[in-house]
Amino acid sequence: MPLHVPPAPAPALRSVLTALASPTAVREARTPSLLRAQGPVTPELPLPVHVLDGTATRLAGWRFLIRCGERSVAAADTMLTPDGWAFSHFFEGPYIASTERALRQAEVMQQSYQPRLLSIPGLYMLALWLHGDCAADAAEGRLAATDLLVPLAPAPPGIAAHRPHRAAELLPVLTHRVTPAPLLGSPA
């Protein structure tokens, strides 16, 4: 089934296009793949980035994969400021290829999904969030028990990357691992 990629806010896309056109922004990014890109680079596959806070999520930004030819060479993040959407930074690394791989996996699933990214800062973890309501506002939404989470590589120890999990099954594991351990000598 096809993925229903939500459209990014126009100001977020414009901020990335402006940054890509700025030699200073690209040079300061220090992303070797982006600096070496031969030919035009384009922002594609906008994905809303949500942050998991306890069991609630909040929209933190939009991520665009930056393609040159047939492959993604970097990514660009945007963030919401009091003045609207603004370019945040370029980066590269393992999450780019891992995101592409997870999206390819999702494209062949039986059900249609709206793809999002879910950041779990307490575990230094990123997952592809496959939301079952394809018509939902990508900026909002709660994790539904039947939504799928696909941990991206590198995943924390004990969590298999690229293995889809129902949110209802994975969330308790994640929230338990994020919960800080009591200090030695403190009452339980």
Side-chain angles (χ1 to χ4, degrees):
M1 289 286 187
L3 292 176
H4 296 274
V5 178
L13 176 58
R14 275 194 305 273
S15 73
V16 171
L17 290 169
T18 300
L20 283 170
S22 165
T24 303
V26 171
R27 217 177 14 260
E28 288 178 4
R30 295 190 180 99
T31 54
S33 295
L34 190 56
L35 289 169
R36 289 190 310 261
Q38 297 293 317
V41 291
T42 56
E44 296 182 359
L45 286 168
L47 296 172
V49 180
H50 292 261
V51 175
L52 183 65
D53 187 13
T55 57
T57 65
R58 64 175 170 76
L59 181 67
W62 283 80
R63 177 166 295 166
F64 297 80
L65 295 181
I66 307 299
R67 294 188 66 80
C68 180
E70 296 297 314
R71 66 184 197 97
S72 293
V73 295
D77 276 358
T78 63
M79 62 184 176
L80 190 56
T81 70
D83 295 325
W85 289 100
F87 171 75
S88 175
H89 62 279
F90 292 115
F91 66 94
E92 61 183 67
Y95 284 131
I96 296 167
S98 188
T99 300
E100 287 184 311
R101 177 179 170 186
L103 287 166
R104 282 192 305 274
Q105 284 178 271
E107 286 174 345
V108 298
M109 293 181 172
Q110 296 299 316
Q111 182 179 339
S112 293
Y113 291 100
Q114 183 189 83
R116 304 170 174 194
L117 291 172
L118 183 65
S119 173
I120 302 101
L123 294 176
Y124 301 99
M125 180 179 167
L126 189 63
L128 179 65
W129 170 10
L130 298 172
H131 190 53
D133 182 359
C134 295
D137 180 352
E140 302 196 8
R142 303 177 68 106
L143 273 163
T146 55
D147 285 352
L148 294 180
L149 296 175
V150 182
L152 300 181
I159 297 175
H162 297 287
R163 183 171 166 247
H165 300 270
R166 294 252 177 247
E169 298 164 2
L170 188 58
L171 276 181
V173 173
L174 298 179
T175 54
H176 174 73
R177 290 180 92 176
V178 171
T179 304
L183 297 174
L184 292 176
S186 64

